[in-house]
């Protein structure tokens, strides 16, 4: 086994693809938590979006209508979190946990109701990559083009949208009036209210942004990667997104880059399984690698990251 057998352009491209559902949820959660609302519901939002996207695609025959269905379903569940957190001023962690449990139960129920069986749906046609450039042939230039074509131009539309969203929202957070007001909601909502900022409307919008991004994460998982829905298929990605958001210090771009780390760990463990006969390490270690990384991040980095001052604190306007 050679180093070049493992470190290939396909490894890095696979890392970006596998990181995308986590990155989309982490970018959205950064916006949500910057407004002062804790969002641990990404696991449930991604799961209901993944199911809805597949169901709509199967029932209509249109993958893009499936994407719209995934986003709408996630927005509906995100609205429940917003209503409980902002309007009812309930505990945001409990609200997020309830949505995660509700999504797990309702997707299982709808599998039985719509498809008549538990487990996995029929396959849907996945969305193809945006670009389809020819190979560069042999030689050094051909190999260089193979790296560029694979690492840069081999992705589907939602993957590119995730990259754009991370850059745009990071810019907007620190360079626009909206971003300044959003950060004020998470740091000192009373002062923001005094200055005329509608705290409830700002937090509702931030939660819906998180719902929109989690919906795209679910759509990416089923309609661009797997091509079908399986019960519980998010498999903890929403919680890994939470760790990535914290590792990225509540900045959309930071959350995206942190997600790449988890995506690379996932891609590496898949790659190393191919060489399982040559590596004297139990296969289970490779499977646990992304989750071990999550534990290490949460244990070693969280204590040094500073969260928004008013995060998790319900706000009641005196007006």
């Amino acid at each position: 086994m050679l180093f070049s057998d493992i470190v290939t352009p396909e490894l890095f491209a696979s890392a970006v693809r596998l990181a995308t559902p986590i990155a989309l949820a982490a970018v959205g959660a950064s916006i949500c938590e910057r407004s002062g609302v804790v969002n641990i519901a990404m696991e449930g939002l991604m799961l209901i979006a993944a199911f809805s996207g597949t169901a709509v695609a199967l029932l209509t025959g249109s993958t893009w209508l499936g994407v719209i269905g995934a986003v709408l379903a996630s927005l509906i569940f995100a609205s429940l979190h917003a209503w409980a957190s902002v309007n009812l001023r309930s505990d945001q962690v409990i609200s997020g946990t309830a949505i995660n449990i509700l999504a797990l139960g309702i997707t299982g129920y709808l599998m039985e109701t719509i498809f008549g069986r538990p487990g996995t749906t029929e396959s849907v046609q996945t969305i193809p990559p945006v670009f389809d450039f020819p190979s560069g042939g042999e030689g050094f230039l051909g190999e260089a083009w193979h790296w560029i074509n694979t690492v840069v131009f081999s992705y589907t539309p939602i993957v590119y949208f995730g990259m754009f969203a991370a850059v745009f929202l990071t810019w907007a957070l620190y360079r626009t009036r909206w971003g300044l007001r959003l950060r004020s909601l998470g740091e000192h909502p009373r002062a923001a209210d005094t200055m005329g900022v509608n705290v409830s409307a700002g937090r509702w919008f931030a939660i819906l942004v998180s719902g929109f991004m989690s919906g795209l994460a679910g759509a990416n998982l089923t309609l661009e990667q797997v091509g079908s829905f399986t019960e519980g298929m998010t498999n903890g990605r929403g919680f890994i997104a939470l760790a990535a958001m914290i590792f990225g210090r509540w900045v959309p771009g930071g959350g995206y880059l942190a997600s790449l780390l988890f995506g690379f760990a996932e891609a590496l463990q898949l790659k190393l399984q191919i060489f399982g006969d040559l590596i004297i390490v139990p296969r289970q270690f490779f499977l646990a690698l992304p989750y071990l990384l999550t534990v290490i991040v949460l244990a070693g980095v969280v204590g040094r990251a500073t969260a928004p001052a008013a995060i998790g604190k319900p706000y009641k306007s005196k007006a």
Side-chain angles (χ1 to χ4, degrees):
M1 180 183 61
L2 299 175
F3 179 74
S4 59
D5 293 328
I6 298 176
V7 183
T8 62
E10 287 77 14
L11 173 66
F12 293 100
S14 177
V16 173
R17 291 192 196 94
L18 292 170
T20 294
I22 300 170
L24 287 164
V27 168
S30 299
I31 296 300
C32 181
E33 299 215 351
R34 276 289 181 177
S35 75
V37 178
V38 174
N39 188 0
I40 65 167
M42 285 96 74
E43 180 78 5
L45 297 180
M46 289 171 61
L47 188 62
I48 193 68
F51 172 81
S52 302
T54 307
V56 172
L58 284 171
L59 293 173
T60 64
S62 169
T63 309
W64 283 107
L65 284 179
V67 174
I68 295 173
V71 171
L72 288 178
S74 180
L75 284 174
I76 291 171
F77 273 64
S79 298
L80 293 176
H81 185 46
W83 178 64
S85 302
V86 178
N87 296 80
L88 301 182
R89 295 187 294 279
S90 61
D91 189 297
Q92 296 161 12
V93 174
I94 293 176
S95 171
T97 303
I99 287 176
N100 288 333
I101 297 171
L102 177 63
L104 187 63
I106 202 168
T107 50
Y109 171 76
L110 290 176
M111 274 293 297
E112 296 271 6
T113 304
I114 297 176
F115 299 104
R117 65 178 187 279
T120 303
T121 66
E122 298 172 0
S123 298
V124 297
Q125 184 174 5
T126 55
I127 299 172
V130 176
F131 306 106
D132 185 19
F133 296 121
S135 62
E138 303 295 331
F140 173 77
L141 291 178
E143 183 64 19
W145 171 246
H146 176 61
W147 271 83
I148 295 171
N149 190 26
T150 304
V151 177
V152 180
F153 298 116
S154 65
Y155 306 119
T156 45
I158 296 178
V159 177
Y160 287 114
F161 180 83
M163 298 175 186
F164 166 77
V167 174
F168 175 76
L169 289 175
T170 301
W171 171 81
L173 192 61
Y174 291 100
R175 293 290 185 271
T176 66
R177 178 179 296 180
W178 168 78
L180 178 63
R181 290 181 173 182
L182 181 76
R183 285 183 285 136
S184 71
L185 300 180
E187 297 294 339
H188 204 309
R190 178 68 63 196
D193 194 6
T194 304
M195 295 298 292
V197 178
N198 189 325
V199 177
S200 296
R203 288 184 167 179
W204 255 89
F205 180 76
I207 296 170
L208 292 180
V209 169
S210 180
F212 176 81
M213 298 299 288
S214 295
L216 285 180
N220 169 262
L221 194 60
T222 52
L223 302 177
E224 287 191 341
Q225 293 193 27
V226 180
S228 63
F229 173 83
T230 300
E231 290 182 63
M233 68 182 299
T234 47
N235 202 23
R237 286 179 176 84
F239 300 113
I240 296 177
L242 186 66
M245 177 203 66
I246 296 170
F247 193 28
R249 298 179 183 275
W250 288 269
V251 178
Y256 187 91
L257 294 176
S259 300
L260 291 179
L261 181 65
F262 294 103
F264 186 80
E266 180 78 19
L268 185 62
Q269 68 92 2
L270 292 172
K271 189 84 172 184
L272 292 178
Q273 285 188 52
I274 299 174
F275 303 98
D277 295 337
L278 303 176
I279 301 175
I280 311 173
V281 177
R283 176 175 174 272
Q284 290 77 8
F285 174 79
F286 299 131
L287 293 173
L289 198 56
Y291 305 100
L292 286 174
L293 191 60
T294 304
V295 172
I296 292 170
V297 167
L298 290 175
V301 178
V302 171
R304 283 171 285 186
T306 304
I311 193 168
K313 299 177 181 176
Y315 178 75
K316 183 179 182 181
S317 175
K318 292 184 177 179

